[in-house]
mmCIF file of all heavy atoms in Angstrom:
data_model
loop_
_atom_site.group_PDB
_atom_site.id
_atom_site.type_symbol
_atom_site.label_atom_id
_atom_site.label_comp_id
_atom_site.label_asym_id
_atom_site.label_seq_id
_atom_site.Cartn_x
_atom_site.Cartn_y
_atom_site.Cartn_z
ATOM 1 N N ARG A 19 1.696 6.955 -9.071
ATOM 2 C CA ARG A 19 2.465 8.122 -9.510
ATOM 3 C C ARG A 19 1.695 9.415 -9.198
ATOM 4 O O ARG A 19 2.285 10.413 -8.771
ATOM 5 C CB ARG A 19 2.759 8.013 -10.998
ATOM 6 C CG ARG A 19 3.694 9.095 -11.530
ATOM 7 C CD ARG A 19 4.282 8.738 -12.880
ATOM 8 N NE ARG A 19 3.257 8.391 -13.856
ATOM 9 C CZ ARG A 19 3.053 7.160 -14.341
ATOM 10 N NH1 ARG A 19 3.805 6.155 -13.909
ATOM 11 N NH2 ARG A 19 2.106 6.924 -15.222
ATOM 12 N N GLU A 20 0.402 9.401 -9.402
ATOM 13 C CA GLU A 20 -0.417 10.573 -9.092
ATOM 14 C C GLU A 20 -0.403 10.880 -7.594
ATOM 15 O O GLU A 20 -0.382 12.043 -7.185
ATOM 16 C CB GLU A 20 -1.851 10.354 -9.571
ATOM 17 C CG GLU A 20 -1.998 10.332 -11.088
ATOM 18 C CD GLU A 20 -3.398 9.947 -11.527
ATOM 19 O OE1 GLU A 20 -4.230 9.621 -10.647
ATOM 20 O OE2 GLU A 20 -3.667 9.976 -12.750
ATOM 21 N N MET A 21 -0.389 9.839 -6.778
ATOM 22 C CA MET A 21 -0.388 10.030 -5.331
ATOM 23 C C MET A 21 0.933 10.600 -4.824
ATOM 24 O O MET A 21 0.988 11.182 -3.736
ATOM 25 C CB MET A 21 -0.673 8.703 -4.623
ATOM 26 C CG MET A 21 -2.126 8.271 -4.625
ATOM 27 S SD MET A 21 -3.213 9.385 -3.684
ATOM 28 C CE MET A 21 -4.032 10.224 -5.039
ATOM 29 N N ARG A 22 1.984 10.458 -5.605
ATOM 30 C CA ARG A 22 3.286 10.993 -5.184
ATOM 31 C C ARG A 22 3.300 12.513 -5.175
ATOM 32 O O ARG A 22 4.237 13.121 -4.674
ATOM 33 C CB ARG A 22 4.394 10.428 -6.080
ATOM 34 C CG ARG A 22 4.686 8.964 -5.754
ATOM 35 C CD ARG A 22 5.759 8.357 -6.615
ATOM 36 N NE ARG A 22 5.933 6.942 -6.221
ATOM 37 C CZ ARG A 22 6.294 5.980 -7.055
ATOM 38 N NH1 ARG A 22 6.505 6.253 -8.339
ATOM 39 N NH2 ARG A 22 6.434 4.741 -6.627
ATOM 40 N N GLU A 23 2.240 13.115 -5.701
ATOM 41 C CA GLU A 23 2.108 14.565 -5.613
ATOM 42 C C GLU A 23 1.690 14.997 -4.212
ATOM 43 O O GLU A 23 1.891 16.151 -3.831
ATOM 44 C CB GLU A 23 1.093 15.068 -6.636
ATOM 45 C CG GLU A 23 1.515 14.838 -8.088
ATOM 46 C CD GLU A 23 0.492 15.366 -9.072
ATOM 47 O OE1 GLU A 23 -0.473 16.033 -8.625
ATOM 48 O OE2 GLU A 23 0.654 15.127 -10.283
ATOM 49 N N ILE A 24 1.100 14.075 -3.451
ATOM 50 C CA ILE A 24 0.654 14.426 -2.094
ATOM 51 C C ILE A 24 1.446 13.708 -1.004
ATOM 52 O O ILE A 24 1.423 14.112 0.148
ATOM 53 C CB ILE A 24 -0.852 14.141 -1.900
ATOM 54 C CG1 ILE A 24 -1.143 12.642 -1.982
ATOM 55 C CG2 ILE A 24 -1.688 14.921 -2.896
ATOM 56 C CD1 ILE A 24 -2.530 12.263 -1.521
ATOM 57 N N THR A 25 2.144 12.625 -1.346
ATOM 58 C CA THR A 25 2.960 11.912 -0.374
ATOM 59 C C THR A 25 4.109 11.221 -1.079
ATOM 60 O O THR A 25 3.933 10.643 -2.152
ATOM 61 C CB THR A 25 2.142 10.877 0.427
ATOM 62 O OG1 THR A 25 3.030 10.143 1.294
ATOM 63 C CG2 THR A 25 1.430 9.898 -0.482
ATOM 64 N N GLU A 26 5.266 11.269 -0.470
ATOM 65 C CA GLU A 26 6.421 10.574 -1.055
ATOM 66 C C GLU A 26 6.342 9.067 -0.794
ATOM 67 O O GLU A 26 7.061 8.291 -1.410
ATOM 68 C CB GLU A 26 7.715 11.129 -0.481
ATOM 69 C CG GLU A 26 7.838 10.976 1.024
ATOM 70 C CD GLU A 26 9.101 11.592 1.586
ATOM 71 O OE1 GLU A 26 9.763 12.352 0.860
ATOM 72 O OE2 GLU A 26 9.411 11.312 2.762
ATOM 73 N N ASN A 27 5.452 8.691 0.095
ATOM 74 C CA ASN A 27 5.309 7.283 0.461
ATOM 75 C C ASN A 27 4.164 6.635 -0.321
ATOM 76 O O ASN A 27 3.139 6.253 0.231
ATOM 77 C CB ASN A 27 5.068 7.146 1.968
ATOM 78 C CG ASN A 27 6.165 7.779 2.787
ATOM 79 O OD1 ASN A 27 7.335 7.467 2.603
ATOM 80 N ND2 ASN A 27 5.791 8.676 3.685
ATOM 81 N N ALA A 28 4.325 6.570 -1.616
ATOM 82 C CA ALA A 28 3.353 5.929 -2.503
ATOM 83 C C ALA A 28 4.074 4.777 -3.197
ATOM 84 O O ALA A 28 5.065 4.992 -3.900
ATOM 85 C CB ALA A 28 2.800 6.920 -3.514
ATOM 86 N N VAL A 29 3.574 3.558 -3.002
ATOM 87 C CA VAL A 29 4.316 2.361 -3.407
ATOM 88 C C VAL A 29 3.463 1.478 -4.315
ATOM 89 O O VAL A 29 2.294 1.210 -4.020
ATOM 90 C CB VAL A 29 4.756 1.550 -2.160
ATOM 91 C CG1 VAL A 29 5.502 0.285 -2.572
ATOM 92 C CG2 VAL A 29 5.615 2.415 -1.243
ATOM 93 N N VAL A 30 4.076 1.018 -5.409
ATOM 94 C CA VAL A 30 3.436 0.022 -6.268
ATOM 95 C C VAL A 30 3.633 -1.348 -5.643
ATOM 96 O O VAL A 30 4.757 -1.739 -5.309
ATOM 97 C CB VAL A 30 4.049 0.036 -7.688
ATOM 98 C CG1 VAL A 30 3.427 -1.079 -8.536
ATOM 99 C CG2 VAL A 30 3.840 1.388 -8.343
ATOM 100 N N ILE A 31 2.547 -2.075 -5.446
ATOM 101 C CA ILE A 31 2.620 -3.412 -4.863
ATOM 102 C C ILE A 31 1.785 -4.356 -5.720
ATOM 103 O O ILE A 31 0.601 -4.134 -5.943
ATOM 104 C CB ILE A 31 2.150 -3.398 -3.383
ATOM 105 C CG1 ILE A 31 2.318 -4.773 -2.746
ATOM 106 C CG2 ILE A 31 0.728 -2.863 -3.239
ATOM 107 C CD1 ILE A 31 2.120 -4.772 -1.231
ATOM 108 N N HIS A 32 2.431 -5.396 -6.223
ATOM 109 C CA HIS A 32 1.755 -6.310 -7.141
ATOM 110 C C HIS A 32 1.102 -7.494 -6.435
ATOM 111 O O HIS A 32 0.220 -8.134 -6.990
ATOM 112 C CB HIS A 32 2.747 -6.811 -8.190
ATOM 113 C CG HIS A 32 3.245 -5.718 -9.091
ATOM 114 N ND1 HIS A 32 2.433 -5.092 -10.003
ATOM 115 C CD2 HIS A 32 4.465 -5.117 -9.189
ATOM 116 C CE1 HIS A 32 3.129 -4.168 -10.650
ATOM 117 N NE2 HIS A 32 4.364 -4.158 -10.168
ATOM 118 N N SER A 33 1.546 -7.762 -5.228
ATOM 119 C CA SER A 33 0.970 -8.865 -4.456
ATOM 120 C C SER A 33 0.661 -8.377 -3.050
ATOM 121 O O SER A 33 1.453 -7.635 -2.450
ATOM 122 C CB SER A 33 1.950 -10.045 -4.380
ATOM 123 O OG SER A 33 1.436 -11.051 -3.534
ATOM 124 N N LEU A 34 -0.498 -8.776 -2.539
ATOM 125 C CA LEU A 34 -0.915 -8.339 -1.209
ATOM 126 C C LEU A 34 -0.783 -9.449 -0.176
ATOM 127 O O LEU A 34 -1.527 -9.506 0.801
ATOM 128 C CB LEU A 34 -2.353 -7.816 -1.261
ATOM 129 C CG LEU A 34 -2.545 -6.529 -2.063
ATOM 130 C CD1 LEU A 34 -4.019 -6.198 -2.211
ATOM 131 C CD2 LEU A 34 -1.794 -5.364 -1.414
ATOM 132 N N ASP A 35 0.176 -10.352 -0.370
ATOM 133 C CA ASP A 35 0.446 -11.362 0.643
ATOM 134 C C ASP A 35 1.145 -10.706 1.830
ATOM 135 O O ASP A 35 1.620 -9.562 1.749
ATOM 136 C CB ASP A 35 1.304 -12.491 0.061
ATOM 137 C CG ASP A 35 2.638 -11.986 -0.451
ATOM 138 O OD1 ASP A 35 3.584 -11.881 0.344
ATOM 139 O OD2 ASP A 35 2.721 -11.643 -1.660
ATOM 140 N N LYS A 36 1.212 -11.410 2.929
ATOM 141 C CA LYS A 36 1.730 -10.838 4.171
ATOM 142 C C LYS A 36 3.167 -10.355 4.025
ATOM 143 O O LYS A 36 3.538 -9.274 4.504
ATOM 144 C CB LYS A 36 1.625 -11.865 5.290
ATOM 145 C CG LYS A 36 1.998 -11.325 6.672
ATOM 146 C CD LYS A 36 1.789 -12.392 7.743
ATOM 147 C CE LYS A 36 2.195 -11.895 9.113
ATOM 148 N NZ LYS A 36 2.024 -12.943 10.148
ATOM 149 N N LYS A 37 4.005 -11.140 3.354
ATOM 150 C CA LYS A 37 5.417 -10.779 3.190
ATOM 151 C C LYS A 37 5.563 -9.486 2.382
ATOM 152 O O LYS A 37 6.326 -8.585 2.761
ATOM 153 C CB LYS A 37 6.174 -11.917 2.506
ATOM 154 C CG LYS A 37 7.665 -11.662 2.302
ATOM 155 C CD LYS A 37 8.335 -12.904 1.725
ATOM 156 C CE LYS A 37 9.838 -12.683 1.556
ATOM 157 N NZ LYS A 37 10.146 -11.667 0.539
ATOM 158 N N SER A 38 4.826 -9.379 1.286
ATOM 159 C CA SER A 38 4.912 -8.182 0.444
ATOM 160 C C SER A 38 4.415 -6.950 1.184
ATOM 161 O O SER A 38 4.995 -5.864 1.074
ATOM 162 C CB SER A 38 4.108 -8.387 -0.835
ATOM 163 O OG SER A 38 4.623 -9.448 -1.600
ATOM 164 N N LEU A 39 3.347 -7.095 1.951
ATOM 165 C CA LEU A 39 2.835 -5.977 2.740
ATOM 166 C C LEU A 39 3.860 -5.534 3.776
ATOM 167 O O LEU A 39 4.103 -4.340 3.964
ATOM 168 C CB LEU A 39 1.522 -6.362 3.416
ATOM 169 C CG LEU A 39 0.295 -6.461 2.499
ATOM 170 C CD1 LEU A 39 -0.846 -7.191 3.211
ATOM 171 C CD2 LEU A 39 -0.158 -5.075 2.042
ATOM 172 N N ALA A 40 4.469 -6.502 4.447
ATOM 173 C CA ALA A 40 5.464 -6.177 5.470
ATOM 174 C C ALA A 40 6.662 -5.454 4.874
ATOM 175 O O ALA A 40 7.260 -4.569 5.507
ATOM 176 C CB ALA A 40 5.909 -7.449 6.188
ATOM 177 N N GLU A 41 7.021 -5.799 3.650
ATOM 178 C CA GLU A 41 8.170 -5.165 2.996
ATOM 179 C C GLU A 41 7.938 -3.691 2.710
ATOM 180 O O GLU A 41 8.884 -2.917 2.580
ATOM 181 C CB GLU A 41 8.505 -5.905 1.698
ATOM 182 C CG GLU A 41 9.143 -7.273 1.938
ATOM 183 C CD GLU A 41 9.345 -8.059 0.648
ATOM 184 O OE1 GLU A 41 8.801 -7.633 -0.401
ATOM 185 O OE2 GLU A 41 10.024 -9.098 0.694
ATOM 186 N N THR A 42 6.680 -3.277 2.631
ATOM 187 C CA THR A 42 6.384 -1.854 2.410
ATOM 188 C C THR A 42 6.541 -1.038 3.693
ATOM 189 O O THR A 42 6.650 0.188 3.640
ATOM 190 C CB THR A 42 4.951 -1.653 1.889
ATOM 191 O OG1 THR A 42 4.009 -1.968 2.932
ATOM 192 C CG2 THR A 42 4.688 -2.512 0.663
ATOM 193 N N GLY A 43 6.491 -1.720 4.841
ATOM 194 C CA GLY A 43 6.565 -1.018 6.123
ATOM 195 C C GLY A 43 5.227 -0.582 6.656
ATOM 196 O O GLY A 43 5.152 0.218 7.596
ATOM 197 N N ILE A 44 4.142 -1.104 6.105
ATOM 198 C CA ILE A 44 2.820 -0.672 6.538
ATOM 199 C C ILE A 44 2.542 -1.005 8.004
ATOM 200 O O ILE A 44 1.716 -0.368 8.653
ATOM 201 C CB ILE A 44 1.717 -1.267 5.622
ATOM 202 C CG1 ILE A 44 0.398 -0.505 5.821
ATOM 203 C CG2 ILE A 44 1.558 -2.772 5.860
ATOM 204 C CD1 ILE A 44 -0.661 -0.834 4.797
ATOM 205 N N GLN A 45 3.285 -1.986 8.539
ATOM 206 C CA GLN A 45 3.106 -2.334 9.949
ATOM 207 C C GLN A 45 3.545 -1.202 10.881
ATOM 208 O O GLN A 45 3.229 -1.220 12.073
ATOM 209 C CB GLN A 45 3.871 -3.617 10.295
ATOM 210 C CG GLN A 45 5.378 -3.512 10.193
ATOM 211 C CD GLN A 45 5.883 -3.806 8.788
ATOM 212 O OE1 GLN A 45 5.123 -3.776 7.825
ATOM 213 N NE2 GLN A 45 7.165 -4.113 8.681
ATOM 214 N N ASN A 46 4.237 -0.189 10.347
ATOM 215 C CA ASN A 46 4.646 0.964 11.147
ATOM 216 C C ASN A 46 3.562 2.037 11.232
ATOM 217 O O ASN A 46 3.749 3.061 11.883
ATOM 218 C CB ASN A 46 5.925 1.576 10.561
ATOM 219 C CG ASN A 46 7.100 0.623 10.640
ATOM 220 O OD1 ASN A 46 7.325 -0.015 11.662
ATOM 221 N ND2 ASN A 46 7.858 0.495 9.556
ATOM 222 N N CYS A 47 2.446 1.811 10.558
ATOM 223 C CA CYS A 47 1.321 2.755 10.611
ATOM 224 C C CYS A 47 0.488 2.520 11.866
ATOM 225 O O CYS A 47 0.452 1.423 12.419
ATOM 226 C CB CYS A 47 0.443 2.598 9.375
ATOM 227 S SG CYS A 47 1.249 3.036 7.819
ATOM 228 N N ASP A 48 -0.190 3.557 12.299
ATOM 229 C CA ASP A 48 -1.119 3.441 13.428
ATOM 230 C C ASP A 48 -2.472 2.932 12.964
ATOM 231 O O ASP A 48 -3.175 2.243 13.708
ATOM 232 C CB ASP A 48 -1.300 4.804 14.103
ATOM 233 C CG ASP A 48 0.009 5.348 14.635
ATOM 234 O OD1 ASP A 48 0.516 4.799 15.621
ATOM 235 O OD2 ASP A 48 0.527 6.309 14.044
ATOM 236 N N VAL A 49 -2.829 3.309 11.746
ATOM 237 C CA VAL A 49 -4.122 2.924 11.172
ATOM 238 C C VAL A 49 -3.889 2.475 9.736
ATOM 239 O O VAL A 49 -3.171 3.139 8.984
ATOM 240 C CB VAL A 49 -5.121 4.112 11.171
ATOM 241 C CG1 VAL A 49 -6.450 3.687 10.564
ATOM 242 C CG2 VAL A 49 -5.308 4.662 12.571
ATOM 243 N N ALA A 50 -4.473 1.341 9.376
ATOM 244 C CA ALA A 50 -4.434 0.883 7.983
ATOM 245 C C ALA A 50 -5.859 0.729 7.488
ATOM 246 O O ALA A 50 -6.709 0.175 8.194
ATOM 247 C CB ALA A 50 -3.689 -0.444 7.868
ATOM 248 N N VAL A 51 -6.116 1.231 6.282
ATOM 249 C CA VAL A 51 -7.461 1.181 5.713
ATOM 250 C C VAL A 51 -7.426 0.354 4.429
ATOM 251 O O VAL A 51 -6.697 0.677 3.493
ATOM 252 C CB VAL A 51 -8.003 2.589 5.406
ATOM 253 C CG1 VAL A 51 -9.472 2.503 4.979
ATOM 254 C CG2 VAL A 51 -7.853 3.507 6.615
ATOM 255 N N VAL A 52 -8.217 -0.711 4.404
ATOM 256 C CA VAL A 52 -8.322 -1.562 3.216
ATOM 257 C C VAL A 52 -9.461 -1.017 2.363
ATOM 258 O O VAL A 52 -10.632 -1.133 2.736
ATOM 259 C CB VAL A 52 -8.579 -3.028 3.604
ATOM 260 C CG1 VAL A 52 -8.649 -3.907 2.348
ATOM 261 C CG2 VAL A 52 -7.490 -3.535 4.539
ATOM 262 N N CYS A 53 -9.115 -0.420 1.238
ATOM 263 C CA CYS A 53 -10.109 0.239 0.386
ATOM 264 C C CYS A 53 -10.439 -0.609 -0.835
ATOM 265 O O CYS A 53 -10.741 -0.081 -1.907
ATOM 266 C CB CYS A 53 -9.597 1.608 -0.035
ATOM 267 S SG CYS A 53 -9.199 2.694 1.341
ATOM 268 N N ILE A 54 -10.365 -1.913 -0.677
ATOM 269 C CA ILE A 54 -10.671 -2.852 -1.759
ATOM 270 C C ILE A 54 -12.089 -3.352 -1.535
ATOM 271 O O ILE A 54 -12.385 -3.913 -0.483
ATOM 272 C CB ILE A 54 -9.693 -4.041 -1.750
ATOM 273 C CG1 ILE A 54 -8.255 -3.534 -1.831
ATOM 274 C CG2 ILE A 54 -9.998 -5.009 -2.883
ATOM 275 C CD1 ILE A 54 -7.225 -4.588 -1.491
ATOM 276 N N GLY A 55 -12.964 -3.145 -2.505
ATOM 277 C CA GLY A 55 -14.339 -3.565 -2.303
ATOM 278 C C GLY A 55 -14.792 -4.651 -3.245
ATOM 279 O O GLY A 55 -15.385 -5.651 -2.828
ATOM 280 N N GLU A 56 -14.490 -4.496 -4.516
ATOM 281 C CA GLU A 56 -15.031 -5.402 -5.517
ATOM 282 C C GLU A 56 -14.429 -6.804 -5.423
ATOM 283 O O GLU A 56 -15.117 -7.793 -5.604
ATOM 284 C CB GLU A 56 -14.800 -4.823 -6.922
ATOM 285 C CG GLU A 56 -15.600 -3.554 -7.216
ATOM 286 C CD GLU A 56 -15.098 -2.343 -6.446
ATOM 287 O OE1 GLU A 56 -13.904 -2.354 -6.042
ATOM 288 O OE2 GLU A 56 -15.889 -1.416 -6.221
ATOM 289 N N GLN A 57 -13.143 -6.890 -5.148
ATOM 290 C CA GLN A 57 -12.474 -8.185 -5.020
ATOM 291 C C GLN A 57 -12.549 -8.626 -3.567
ATOM 292 O O GLN A 57 -11.650 -8.368 -2.774
ATOM 293 C CB GLN A 57 -11.028 -8.071 -5.491
ATOM 294 C CG GLN A 57 -10.898 -7.676 -6.960
ATOM 295 C CD GLN A 57 -9.467 -7.376 -7.337
ATOM 296 O OE1 GLN A 57 -8.805 -6.556 -6.715
ATOM 297 N NE2 GLN A 57 -8.981 -8.058 -8.361
ATOM 298 N N ILE A 58 -13.642 -9.309 -3.243
ATOM 299 C CA ILE A 58 -13.921 -9.623 -1.836
ATOM 300 C C ILE A 58 -12.857 -10.546 -1.244
ATOM 301 O O ILE A 58 -12.409 -10.341 -0.105
ATOM 302 C CB ILE A 58 -15.327 -10.236 -1.699
ATOM 303 C CG1 ILE A 58 -16.377 -9.176 -2.057
ATOM 304 C CG2 ILE A 58 -15.561 -10.747 -0.281
ATOM 305 C CD1 ILE A 58 -17.800 -9.671 -2.005
#
């Protein structure tokens, strides 16, 4: 919700499996950054 102040494309995603990621449309990006560190 806080990120929606800077971009309308801010999505809540509860599962990071391939199908759920694809449903967000992230495959249409040129660059994707995985910013998850603690949960290896």
Side-chain angles (χ1 to χ4, degrees):
R19 187 163 53 250
E20 291 173 356
M21 283 295 105
R22 286 179 181 149
E23 296 181 7
I24 66 168
T25 176
E26 60 183 13
N27 303 306
V29 179
V30 176
I31 184 169
H32 295 291
S33 175
L34 293 172
D35 60 86
K36 186 177 178 181
K37 181 175 182 294
S38 298
L39 287 165
E41 288 174 349
T42 69
I44 196 169
Q45 65 273 18
N46 296 315
C47 295
D48 300 289
V49 180
V51 187
V52 182
C53 302
I54 304 166
E56 292 71 23
Q57 298 172 306
I58 294 178

